[in-house]
Structures are given as structure tokens and as C-alpha cells.
Amino acid sequence: MTTSEAGTDRRRLVADPSDAGLRVDIYLAERVPELSRSRAAKLLEAGRVAVNGRVARKSARLVAGDVIEFELPPPEPSTLEPEALPLTIIYEDRDLVVVDKPAGQVVHPSPGHRTGTLVHALLHHVRDLSGIGGVLRPGIVHRLDKDTSGLMLVAKTDAAHRRLAAALKRRAIERVYLVAVWGHLDTDARTVEAPIARSPSDRKRMAVVEGGRPAVTRFRRLERWVAADLLRAELETGRTHQIRVHLEWIGHPVVGDAVYGAGGERRISGPGRGWARAFAARVPRQFLHAAELRLRHPRTGEELHFTSPLPPDLARAAAWARESSAPTAGC
């Protein structure tokens, strides 16, 4: 690799079976929170990535057991223009910010989403974001899908970013979601432990795949409706689309999920079929909301706990489901 400069962050990863066949730039973008695919490509072009001790090319494809070593140079200043977009800040201090992201907003710039992202809003409202996430993702510790609403953690200093990313990796940050699913779980509580990787048949989707990365989600039923359940979902790991993939895999896809649960209401038979269609018509997007964050402050060690109620679009749908299910509630 190239000669390191002051402030360089050196890291080492090992490819697992689910990574076989992935290009190195895609692998790094998926595994390293601070890297976008374009930034990973720049590291490769600069000779900052090695596979099994040899400088890697962008086109190189991985096999299980490959050792990937790379260097993250000091953060670059952001070149993005701040935008005066609405931003709901739940908490802010000199180290971090907790925001409540609305559904429909992309977290960071990407092809097709060059403006109007959460990052653009953050740059306007928060002047001292950490640069460690790169020029396109300053301060971003973890992401939410475009159509998922709720709580997100953002670092304002590089030290906070490193500590929060490490806490996330060792599962020391509790993330809880509210999610509505089609059908009913067999029990009030269920833990799904199933490995996740890119779908072998569609690389744009994730799937439960033998040899994939370990993934664990804990589900608990909060309410039982006519043909759907409202669940509390707690992430023990944080794989891409984990909650949505696990629920599809157990046969209870997320209501309104166009990727993993399209047409889920049509799977409902019997007396609940009409109710399911009426409910689906009231859910404008995937019924998934990041409702709770619990963590220790990266500098002080103080325990922090944040909550976010269902936003109006999902709250209205839930109210209708609850009221229309009243005769069967608790069954």
C-alpha cells in the first residue's frame, strides 16, 4: 500500500462465505459505515487497499477467507451545500445529535439523490459535524432506509464517531422499531436467527442465505389486529434490511413493503381478506419506524434513552386497525 500520512486509520477485515464473488469496492461500501462506494473506489485507485498482502484492483473479486487491509485517510472537508430543510432534532450536545428522520427522505447523497437529503439538512442546522464519514456522509453513524422513519444517531466529532461506531459493532447500542406485519406470529415473542447476504438471484435485494453474515432480531407482539400484528423489533445485529428480510423469511412481511412484502394483503384468506385490503389502502409506505435508541454517551458514559412515537401517517393507520379489530383484540 501507499505510504501512510498522519491521522490515517488502518483496518483489517476477513471475507466470509457470503462475500464470495463481491467486488472489493462493493464489499468495503457494505461493510464499512464511513465508506460510500465512490470513496471505496478512490481508496483502491490510491493503492490504499490490499487483499492478502497485495495491492487490490477495483475489479478484484473476493473469496471466503480473503484478508482485506485498508487505510482511511484523515477526513476530507465536506463539499456539499447546506440546505434549509426541515429537521427534527431530539437531542444535541457537543458530541452528538439525535434526529427524527421523516419517511421519504434519503439519508445521504447518492445517484438520483444529489440534493434534499438528511445530510444536506444536517449541514445547515449543525455546523460542526464529524468529517470521518467522508464528504457524502459526514457524521452518519448508522442509516435508515428512505421509507423508514425514526431515530438516527449522528456524531459531531471524530472521536465520538469512532466510539459510537465501535459501540454499534459490539452491540452496545439498543435500537428498537415498531413494525406492522401481515398475519399473526405463532407466539407473542419470537427470536429470528438467520444469516443474511445478497440474494443469489437478485443482487439488489438481501435474503436469508446459508453462509451469510449472522443476524439476530427479537420480536414481541404488542397488538393483534384482524389480519396483522403490531410488533416491537429489537436489532441484536444490524444487517442491511434485516428486519424486513427476517419477517419475509418467517412468512410475515412488513405491511406496505414494496420490496419484500409487495401484495402481502393478498396472502390473507378467509374473513380477514377484506380487512387486509382496507388496511393496506391506509398504509402509505412500509410500516416500519425506529422508535427507540438507548446508548452510553461516547464521552461521559452517561446512559441516554430516546423515544419517538409513530408519525401521523402510521399512527392513523394503526388507530384504524386497532378500532376495527376491537372485538378480536387480545385473542
Side-chain angles (χ1 to χ4, degrees):
M1 289 190 286
T2 57
T3 302
S4 300
E5 57 191 289
T8 295
D9 181 5
R10 299 179 184 85
R11 302 195 192 179
R12 180 180 184 274
L13 298 171
V14 179
D16 61 36
S18 68
D19 302 317
L22 276 183
R23 281 183 10 180
V24 180
D25 59 336
I26 297 174
Y27 170 86
L28 289 173
E30 290 186 352
R31 298 291 185 269
V32 184
E34 299 94 329
L35 290 181
S36 63
R37 188 166 166 183
S38 60
R39 194 173 182 221
K42 288 180 181 178
L43 293 185
L44 285 153
E45 291 167 2
R48 294 181 179 272
V49 182
V51 176
N52 300 327
R54 295 185 178 183
V55 175
R57 294 183 179 182
K58 178 181 174 180
S59 59
R61 294 187 180 272
L62 298 172
V63 298
D66 277 348
V67 177
I68 303 95
E69 296 171 291
F70 60 99
E71 297 179 339
L72 290 175
E76 302 173 47
S78 175
T79 58
L80 300 176
E81 291 294 328
E83 296 181 30
L85 302 170
L87 182 67
T88 302
I89 296 177
I90 302 298
Y91 173 87
E92 181 178 6
D93 63 23
R94 73 187 202 191
D95 301 287
L96 59 89
V97 183
V98 177
V99 300
D100 200 338
K101 186 188 86 67
Q105 186 174 49
V106 174
V107 170
H108 56 75
S110 60
H113 300 283
R114 297 299 185 187
T115 61
T117 72
L118 180 70
V119 163
H120 288 92
L122 283 165
L123 289 170
H124 176 78
H125 291 275
V126 183
R127 300 296 181 180
D128 48 354
L129 285 181
S130 163
I132 200 170
V135 294
L136 296 183
R137 308 192 216 188
I140 300 300
V141 177
H142 66 104
R143 289 171 284 173
L144 293 177
D145 298 333
K146 175 186 175 183
D147 291 325
T148 299
S149 55
L151 299 175
M152 274 189 59
L153 190 56
V154 181
K156 293 177 64 175
T157 69
D158 294 349
H161 199 292
R162 291 189 182 95
R163 290 169 186 163
L164 290 169
L168 198 65
K169 186 174 181 179
R170 67 173 184 270
R171 306 176 186 179
I173 297 178
E174 181 180 314
R175 290 174 289 166
V176 174
Y177 293 71
L178 294 175
V179 54
V181 303
W182 291 118
H184 303 300
L185 297 189
D186 293 336
T187 59
D188 286 336
R190 178 170 180 178
T191 297
V192 177
E193 186 169 358
I196 291 175
R198 288 283 166 189
S199 169
S201 59
D202 183 352
R203 301 300 288 181
K204 294 182 180 180
R205 289 166 52 102
M206 307 301 289
V208 171
V209 177
E210 186 177 355
R213 302 184 76 196
V216 181
T217 315
R218 303 186 187 282
F219 296 105
R220 179 165 58 84
R221 179 161 42 220
L222 300 177
E223 298 181 31
R224 180 184 172 110
W225 300 330
V226 170
D229 281 343
L230 179 66
L231 307 179
R232 177 187 191 272
E234 182 177 350
L235 290 175
E236 188 170 311
T237 55
R239 310 305 177 207
T240 301
H241 300 171
Q242 179 174 315
I243 292 173
R244 298 160 65 194
V245 170
H246 274 174
L247 287 168
E248 179 197 35
W249 187 64
I250 65 173
H252 298 287
V254 177
V255 174
D257 188 340
V259 176
Y260 299 101
E265 67 276 14
R266 293 194 294 272
R267 305 182 192 183
I268 305 299
S269 59
R273 177 176 293 180
W275 183 95
R277 289 176 178 171
F279 183 47
R282 287 170 167 79
V283 179
R285 43 96 174 186
Q286 61 194 29
F287 199 122
L288 183 60
H289 177 69
E292 190 173 350
L293 269 177
R294 191 185 298 271
L295 64 144
R296 290 204 171 273
H297 194 281
R299 178 173 50 83
T300 68
E302 176 189 3
E303 183 171 304
L304 303 176
H305 182 209
F306 307 101
T307 59
S308 169
L310 284 175
D313 59 346
L314 300 187
R316 286 190 293 269
W320 179 88
R322 190 175 299 120
E323 293 166 6
S324 60
S325 301
T328 58
C331 294

